[in-house]
């Protein structure tokens, strides 16, 4: 039996007046997902345990069968694993966004863009490497990632520091949160020095000349120490692969014991290499029993508040990931049986431009004779109509693998 999970990050939304009370998922043309949903099961899944912050880290742990309450220690340690960084005892990893902030008078700061205009990796690496060269020390070390997503590891104790995700505060005053960092003298000096270096860097000079947002600050968040997690093989006897452009997802895969497949041109945005991801998924499925494919683009569009981009991202996911993967599985050599899941990790509603903890709709298609057929198209509203809600990752994986 083959098990395939296809994740459209943040696809879910709330009804929008601009779409006549429909969500972007309901508005989008998604024939592949709708056909699979009609022939398969549809249900809701709680990927964010009650009391935990909604995020891709916690939600995707749930989609891989883990209970975040037991295994989650922070987002950044997962990204560190993806980047091959082994955290020593006592070290804390922080997600380090390159952001665009604006001083609006006095000590006031406004979060203009949590991604510095989705700065390309070719530029962001120059900036992060520059920060490491000029400001790296025995206490702080910068590691370049992809686009605006980077990492900082601290050997200094910053106990009591409470951070927030920058994408939760787009267009808002973030002075209160910035002041939290400044309470720690070593961090205060680091952040102020980083701002000066970035503001005067030639890369940002060129971006400003082109009318692009300058990456004029770093924003630390998602901190944590290395988790201890059993692999999927240890838990379920599964060997498999994970495909994503995002370090966070790759890091979860590393801790889960999955092979991490790199796809050239996978960007985590609208211009990602969909065809390459679909082809890689099918190649992995030919040799392994489990494949997890993650597409970031719908989530990014939700954070940007762009209805048009979100609909486009959903339609691209349907036509360039779901359809070719399903067609490829049906015609695979040996005609293997398979169970295919199409879902999202969480909702990223346009109206709030950040994540929601609401349960997500999940469709499950079995290539064998389907005992239950939903007869419904794939949407948030139809997921609610089923009246079926799974409580978390453990229950979801038991259902997927038909355990118990």
């Amino acid at each position: 039996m083959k098990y395939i999970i296809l994740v459209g990050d943040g696809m879910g939304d709330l009804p929008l007046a601009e779409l006549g009370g429909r969500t972007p998922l309901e508005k989008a043309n998604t024939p592949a997902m709708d056909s699979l949903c009609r022939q398969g099961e549809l249900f809701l899944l709680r990927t964010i345990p009650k009391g935990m912050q909604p995020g891709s880290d916690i939600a995707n742990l749930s989609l891989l069968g883990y209970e975040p309450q037991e295994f989650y220690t922070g987002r950044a340690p997962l990204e560190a694993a993806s980047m091959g960084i082994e955290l020593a005892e006592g070290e804390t990893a922080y997600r380090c966004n390159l952001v665009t902030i604006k001083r609006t008078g006095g000590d006031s700061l406004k979060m203009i863009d949590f991604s510095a205009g989705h700065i390309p990796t070719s530029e962001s690496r120059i900036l992060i490497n520059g920060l490491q060269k000029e400001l790296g020390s025995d206490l702080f070390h910068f590691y370049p990632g992809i686009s605006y997503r980077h990492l900082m590891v601290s050997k200094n104790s910053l106990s009591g520091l409470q951070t927030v995700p920058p994408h939760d505060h787009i267009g808002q005053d973030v002075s209160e949160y910035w002041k939290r960092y400044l309470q720690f003298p070593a961090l205060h000096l680091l952040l102020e020095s980083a701002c000066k270096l970035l503001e005067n860097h030639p890369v940002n000079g060129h971006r400003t000349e082109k009318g692009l947002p300058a990456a004029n600050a770093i924003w630390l968040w998602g901190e944590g120490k290395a988790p201890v997690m059993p692999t999927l093989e240890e838990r379920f006897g599964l060997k498999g692969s994970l495909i994503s452009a995002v370090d966070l997802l790759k890091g979860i895969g590393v801790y889960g014991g999955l092979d991490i497949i790199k796809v050239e041109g996978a960007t985590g945005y609208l211009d990602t290499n969909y065809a390459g991801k679909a082809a890689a998924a099918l190649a992995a499925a030919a040799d392994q029993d489990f494949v997890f494919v993650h597409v970031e683009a719908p989530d990014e569009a939700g954070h940007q508040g762009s209805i048009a981009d979100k609909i486009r991202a959903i339609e691209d996911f349907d036509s360039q990931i779901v359809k070719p993967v399903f067609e490829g599985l049906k015609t695979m050599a040996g005609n293997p049986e398979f169970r295919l899941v199409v879902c999202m990790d969480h909702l990223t509603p346009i109206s709030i431009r950040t994540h929601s903890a609401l349960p997500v709709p999940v469709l499950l298609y079995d290539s064998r004779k389907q005992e239950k057929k939903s007869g419904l198209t794939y949407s948030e509203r139809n997921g609610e109509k089923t009246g079926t809600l799974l409580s978390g990752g453990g229950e979801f994986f038991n259902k997927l693998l038909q355990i118990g």
Side-chain angles (χ1 to χ4, degrees):
M1 177 65 72
K2 306 287 185 181
Y3 302 97
I4 316 296
I5 300 179
L6 307 178
V7 183
D9 195 311
M11 278 198 303
D13 215 297
L14 301 173
L16 292 168
E18 297 93 327
L19 298 179
R22 290 176 291 177
T23 68
L25 180 57
E26 290 174 320
K27 173 67 174 178
N29 181 31
T30 55
M33 288 190 282
D34 290 342
S35 176
L36 287 170
C37 193
R38 290 189 187 97
Q39 300 173 64
E41 291 185 64
L42 179 63
F43 52 87
L44 291 178
L45 169 63
R46 189 178 300 283
T47 58
I48 309 296
K50 291 182 179 180
M52 299 191 78
Q53 290 297 313
S56 293
D57 41 15
I58 291 171
N60 282 283
L61 280 170
S62 295
L63 291 181
L64 280 166
Y66 293 96
E67 299 294 349
Q69 309 96 308
E70 184 176 353
F71 298 108
Y72 181 71
T73 63
R75 179 184 184 115
L78 299 171
E79 298 187 345
S82 167
M83 298 164 68
I85 302 167
E86 294 187 12
L87 297 177
E89 185 176 353
E91 288 186 333
T92 302
Y94 290 81
R95 170 71 173 274
C96 179
N97 273 43
L98 285 173
V99 301
T100 305
I101 60 175
K102 181 180 180 181
R103 300 187 185 277
T104 55
D107 294 331
S108 296
L109 291 176
K110 185 176 183 180
M111 180 63 66
I112 303 300
D113 194 321
F114 72 96
S115 68
H118 284 278
I119 185 170
T121 302
S122 58
E123 295 180 359
S124 68
R125 281 183 174 267
I126 295 173
L127 295 176
I128 294 297
N129 286 333
L131 289 174
Q132 173 58 24
K133 181 180 179 181
E134 298 296 329
L135 304 178
S137 66
D138 292 338
L139 296 179
F140 303 112
H141 196 293
F142 293 92
Y143 295 91
I146 295 174
S147 184
Y148 62 90
R149 314 175 191 96
H150 308 281
L151 203 72
M152 189 194 81
V153 174
S154 171
K155 293 184 179 180
N156 192 25
S157 176
L158 301 175
S159 177
L161 174 61
Q162 294 181 325
T163 67
V164 296
H167 53 256
D168 281 357
H169 302 280
I170 303 168
Q172 300 176 19
D173 188 294
V174 292
S175 309
E176 172 190 347
Y177 309 114
W178 186 257
K179 289 176 182 177
R180 295 178 184 176
Y181 299 107
L182 304 186
Q183 294 174 359
F184 299 83
L187 190 56
H188 186 154
L189 178 61
L190 178 75
L191 294 178
E192 293 296 335
S193 298
C195 285
K196 291 179 182 178
L197 188 153
L198 292 171
E199 287 172 357
N200 297 310
H201 200 285
V203 166
N204 278 321
H206 294 316
R207 290 184 64 78
T208 301
E209 290 174 3
K210 296 177 182 178
L212 300 172
N216 61 7
I218 57 173
W219 194 272
L220 305 177
W221 63 288
E223 66 277 6
K225 301 183 186 300
V228 177
M229 293 166 51
T231 67
L232 291 183
E233 184 175 8
E234 291 169 337
R235 298 182 68 206
F236 305 110
L238 287 178
K239 291 184 178 181
S241 296
L242 181 141
I243 300 167
S244 176
V246 180
D247 281 333
L248 167 64
L249 270 293
K250 296 176 185 177
I252 295 175
V254 169
Y255 277 109
L258 299 174
D259 294 336
I260 308 303
I261 299 177
K262 181 179 180 180
V263 176
E264 291 297 328
T267 64
Y269 198 49
L270 293 168
D271 60 352
T272 198
N273 181 5
Y274 290 100
K277 284 188 171 184
L282 290 170
D287 297 324
Q288 298 176 315
D289 294 328
F290 178 77
V291 182
F292 188 98
V293 182
H294 170 265
V295 174
E296 176 79 358
D299 182 63
E300 295 291 337
H303 287 307
Q304 295 292 343
S306 173
I307 298 174
D309 282 351
K310 188 161 189 179
I311 292 173
R312 173 189 164 187
I314 293 170
E315 292 181 342
D316 287 346
F317 176 71
D318 183 77
S319 63
Q320 299 184 57
I321 295 292
V322 179
K323 180 179 179 180
V325 169
F326 176 58
E327 294 294 335
L329 289 169
K330 288 195 301 180
T331 58
M332 185 170 289
N335 193 29
E337 296 176 338
F338 63 89
R339 285 167 71 80
L340 174 64
V341 167
V342 180
C343 61
M344 59 199 72
D345 50 354
H346 53 68
L347 280 63
T348 307
I350 292 288
S351 58
I352 60 175
R353 295 177 68 176
T354 190
H355 303 154
S356 163
L358 290 171
V360 302
V362 178
L363 76 84
L364 171 58
Y365 174 89
D366 194 315
S367 65
R368 302 166 297 183
K369 184 177 180 180
Q370 192 84 34
E371 295 181 1
K372 298 179 181 179
K373 294 186 178 182
S374 76
L376 301 169
T377 57
Y378 181 62
S379 71
E380 307 89 344
R381 204 181 315 257
N382 284 340
E384 293 177 7
K385 285 182 180 179
T386 68
T388 301
L389 172 64
L390 303 189
S391 62
E395 188 176 358
F396 166 62
F397 240 65
N398 286 342
K399 181 177 183 64
L400 173 64
L401 303 183
Q402 297 177 294
I403 299 173

